[in-house]
Amino acid sequence: MAVTTTYEPVIGLETHVQLMTQSKMFCSCSAAYAGAEPNTHVCPVCLAMPGVLPVMNRLAVEYAFMTGLALNCQIPEASKFDRKNYAYPDLLKGYQISQFDLPFNINGWITVEAEGVTTRVGITRAHLEEDTAKLIHRHDNGDSRSLIDMNRSGVPLLEIVSEPDLRSPAEARAYLQKIRLIVRTLGVSTGNMEEGAMRCDVNVSLRPVGTEKFGTKVEIKNLNSARSVLRALEYEIERQARALDSGELISQETRGWDEDKSVTFSQRSKEEAHDYRFFPEPDLPPVFISAEWVEELRARLPELPDQRRERYVQEFQLSPYDAVQLTSSVEVSHFFEETVRLYPNPKTVANWIEGDLFRILRERDTEIDTLPMGPPQLVELLQLIDRGTISHGTAKEVLEDAAFSGKSPASIVKEKGLTQISDTEELNRAAAAAIAANPQALADYKAGKKQAMGFLTGQVMRATGGKANPALVNEILRAHLDKA
Amino acid sequence: MISREDVDHAAMLARLGLTEAEKQLLQTQLSSILEYMQALSQVDTSGIPPTAQVIPLRNVFRADEPATSLSVEDVLSNAPDREDDFFRFPPVFE
């Protein structure tokens, strides 16, 4: 059955970002849990033994505030931690230390670019909490059990909650990518979703276009890539639209995302689920942040993505579109700026990065910083074009090779014999041969049909294996045609 | 007087399996505890800002420096059950 009513999706995201500290949030256990032997980064504090005292990691607190500033948040003078109580084995102590009614950061916003449109998305809050333990499920010989590795338990986690300001799956994905870019630019998190350093829950409801009232929302839990956010939302919006069209009620529930089957599925219904009984964490004194401290932290902020984008427009005279592309990741902007430093022609550099280099990265599904090729090789390539050693077309081929071999473009040109033919004698012969073989083209040219020129240039290029200098070919052809 | 549903709910949240007799006993006991605590509501608190803390401390931090953790044997010494170097529990699924 086709969907008949036009619905507008209303989407909000809760994003969990692990902060890149050396030690855990409330104890001195190492936070480097990835790859560690199970239960080796555990102490009485993260086990919540009786009588222990958690103490806040100052760097984690500062990272949380710096992220809040980068998200244009207000920082209330007073904040505190609370206990969020729930019984699930990923928390051995039966509660998570989190922030309830006085979070570190409130009322922020970021801008998000999706499908050529810039949208301002509100940030409700960004609060600090602790990560949970990792559960492993084993089934064999008819025996099922769950195992707990506590190494991750207590790693600092910043939860960033957006307002329900997003209106499409593409916007939601762009929002997540922007958050990732911001935390990576700040250097407070790896933002690596595959490794779980960044995770995301999505809330989505539908309402008929033109109406104000929110529909019943569904939460999709544990999305672990920007792509799964996009796909899960596309699926869920379609599912809800069909249900609403056939007169069903959407039940407020939590759903999971099955990546392999590409479907969301019901997990538990919200009504019965949660009663967290938050209360102030008695072991942690409140945090008061002075105006001086805020300013000190603000001074530590690096150039943020929006500022960088703006600078690219001002300093390099790039279009806003180019600026968005080139600031889409920390690595791409480093690559671009280093190349421009060595080869001060920003527009040319931008075209090569956004065009051929991005295409190569997409085709090979890789990132710019994992290429063996760096800015010096791109610069060398551009200089080979400028000197007339290779044509633009040949340069694309050389780039493809250099990108993955890491070889110098000059040596690739030499090895493959790609040097452009600028030998006038050889080109004169080729031009004369092309004209002789195509009398119609000559007649067309004489009759004023300038396309004939393009055709003949193509013939000469082909005869020389694409290595002829096109400008020179044109010049020589014209001389031949005019005196013929 | 707290209701029987309150007792059931609190027991469920705390994952306590209570007998019928225990539930009845707790209903009475919890009710009298709450009743006793009602005495606090007689204090005039108008003009006193709410507080989450009674200790005169604020901004207590430690430096971000990792220290040695417990040995795995110590970590698991109170575990009701273990498998390899993990805590072992009855199966839970998302």
Side-chain angles (χ1 to χ4, degrees), chain A residues 348-418:
Chain A
T348 301
V349 173
N351 288 344
W352 276 92
I353 292 178
E354 288 173 54
D356 289 274
L357 206 52
F358 277 7
R359 177 184 51 78
I360 289 169
L361 295 174
R362 266 196 311 275
E363 284 170 6
R364 305 286 185 106
D365 194 21
T366 184
E367 303 291 333
I368 205 162
D369 57 317
T370 59
L371 288 182
M373 185 189 96
Q377 280 99 326
L378 180 55
V379 170
E380 191 180 306
L381 186 77
L382 298 176
Q383 287 167 341
L384 288 170
I385 303 171
D386 290 348
R387 278 190 233 114
T389 312
I390 53 174
S391 67
H392 198 269
T394 303
K396 286 169 180 272
E397 189 186 329
V398 175
L399 179 69
E400 191 95 33
D401 186 332
F404 293 101
S405 66
K407 284 189 224 160
S408 104
S411 71
I412 295 169
V413 168
K414 206 169 174 189
E415 268 171 39
K416 295 190 171 172
L418 297 172

Side-chain angles (χ1 to χ4, degrees), chain A residues 125-334:
Chain A
R125 56 189 283 159
H127 70 256
L128 196 51
E129 58 188 29
E130 54 180 342
D131 208 343
T132 57
K134 189 174 140 202
L135 297 186
I136 294 151
H137 307 292
R138 280 190 186 164
H139 319 264
D140 47 46
N141 308 320
D143 180 30
S144 289
R145 65 276 187 198
S146 296
L147 306 177
I148 302 172
D149 173 7
M150 286 289 289
N151 287 345
R152 196 182 67 186
S153 185
V155 168
L157 200 61
L158 187 72
E159 179 172 335
I160 302 168
V161 182
S162 86
E163 288 288 300
D165 287 346
L166 298 154
R167 293 290 175 269
S168 71
E171 261 182 25
R173 177 177 60 178
Y175 166 85
L176 190 62
Q177 287 168 335
K178 188 66 175 275
I179 294 285
R180 182 168 182 272
L181 179 58
I182 289 171
V183 296
R184 286 175 56 79
T185 304
L186 289 169
V188 300
S189 175
T190 65
N192 190 324
M193 296 194 75
E194 277 147 40
E195 289 170 6
M198 199 167 137
R199 313 188 287 267
C200 181
D201 303 334
V202 173
N203 287 294
V204 55
S205 64
L206 299 190
R207 63 184 174 192
V209 164
T211 63
E212 284 293 312
K213 192 170 174 285
F214 289 156
T216 305
K217 74 175 176 189
V218 164
E219 182 178 28
I220 311 168
K221 281 269 195 204
N222 291 328
L223 296 167
N224 59 11
S225 71
R227 189 165 161 270
S228 38
V229 166
L230 181 82
R231 294 179 61 224
L233 276 169
E234 283 171 349
Y235 175 86
E236 183 60 22
I237 288 165
E238 178 76 12
R239 185 190 73 84
Q240 290 186 22
R242 284 172 188 276
L244 291 168
D245 263 8
S246 55
E248 286 172 43
L249 288 177
I250 304 294
S251 56
Q252 183 172 338
E253 61 176 353
T254 300
R255 296 177 75 86
W257 167 243
D258 187 323
E259 188 78 49
D260 297 329
K261 293 185 195 144
S262 297
V263 295
T264 64
F265 58 92
S266 183
Q267 282 186 320
R268 59 172 177 239
S269 125
K270 200 92 182 175
E271 297 86 337
E272 52 176 282
H274 297 137
D275 183 352
Y276 291 130
R277 296 150 293 148
F278 280 99
F279 65 85
E281 167 58 77
D283 291 338
L284 293 166
V287 176
F288 280 75
I289 180 161
S290 63
E292 293 75 45
W293 194 9
V294 172
E295 288 320 306
E296 187 202 312
L297 293 172
R298 199 188 298 279
R300 275 163 62 184
L301 298 180
E303 180 183 50
L304 293 167
D306 286 1
Q307 298 166 331
R308 178 170 293 159
R309 194 186 55 203
E310 189 53 34
R311 178 166 64 84
Y312 280 20
V313 173
Q314 299 298 327
E315 184 180 336
F316 301 129
Q317 274 89 51
L318 295 173
S319 70
Y321 175 83
D322 284 340
V324 168
Q325 298 295 308
L326 294 169
T327 54
S328 61
S329 86
V330 177
E331 291 74 20
V332 168
S333 51
H334 285 171

Side-chain angles (χ1 to χ4, degrees), chain A residues 23 28 39 138 145 275 288, chain B residues 9 59 62 64 67 83 85:
Chain A
S23 64
S28 298
N39 292 309
R138 280 190 186 164
R145 65 276 187 198
D275 183 352
F288 280 75
Chain B
H9 184 61
N59 295 5
R62 43 167 253 281
D64 178 36
E83 178 169 326
D85 286 338

